[in-house]
Amino acid sequence: MSLKKINTVLAAAFILFILWFGVEFILSPETTAPGFGLPNWPSGDGGGFLIIKGIRDVVLALVLGILLVTGHRRALGWVLLTEALAAYGDMTTVLAHHGSVATALGVHGLTATLMVVNGLLMMRETSKARKSHEAVAPALAAQPA
């Protein structure tokens, strides 16, 4: 399987995974929130922040999806690297609030790390394509019209 296909499958999986989590947090935060890893349920109006988290996830997924569908693969690599910070932030939040270490590392940390790997692979893929394009362009420009 080519690097491009692997990158596409991984990116599509992340998009669906993040979109699914976001929609779950919007539609049923009370059943989805315990899986986030924090030890306590938000009090008062704190439940609204769970919906905000869901909206954040949906937007993150849509940005990735737009870049994938439009073929902006290098930008997709950069955005995967950047969006991994959100998952690392979630991991740090769970750990800082004495939540489940297994969930912090096994869900948020693993997701972030896999996003970084996918982003780096995407950058490698597009770097190879860019180098081959740069090698061909001077030869085409040198040909008489």
Side-chain angles (χ1 to χ4, degrees):
M1 186 180 282
S2 73
L3 182 58
K4 185 174 182 177
K5 285 184 183 179
I6 292 169
N7 285 335
T8 301
V9 168
L10 285 173
F14 280 119
I15 292 164
L16 294 174
F17 178 72
I18 296 167
L19 187 61
W20 177 71
F21 263 110
V23 169
E24 286 289 311
F25 267 96
I26 292 168
L27 297 179
S28 62
E30 63 281 345
T31 57
T32 308
F36 187 78
L38 291 173
N40 299 316
W41 178 260
S43 60
D45 289 335
F49 285 101
L50 299 173
I51 295 171
I52 291 170
K53 187 236 183 290
I55 293 168
R56 177 198 78 173
D57 285 354
V58 168
V59 170
L60 292 174
L62 291 176
V63 169
L64 292 172
I66 289 167
L67 292 172
L68 181 64
V69 169
T70 59
H72 291 89
R73 298 181 71 79
R74 188 152 187 88
L76 177 59
W78 281 112
V79 172
L80 278 163
L81 292 171
T82 304
E83 288 189 10
L85 295 174
Y88 281 127
D90 290 347
M91 176 189 76
T92 304
T93 300
V94 171
L95 292 172
H97 289 88
H98 310 292
S100 167
V101 173
T103 302
L105 300 177
V107 175
H108 305 294
L110 181 61
T111 298
T113 302
L114 289 174
M115 287 178 79
V116 167
V117 168
N118 191 196
L120 291 173
L121 287 173
M122 192 73 69
M123 300 300 284
R124 181 172 182 215
E125 169 203 323
T126 57
S127 175
K128 286 180 179 181
R130 178 179 276 173
K131 286 177 185 174
S132 67
H133 176 71
E134 289 171 357
V136 171
L140 292 175
Q143 292 179 351

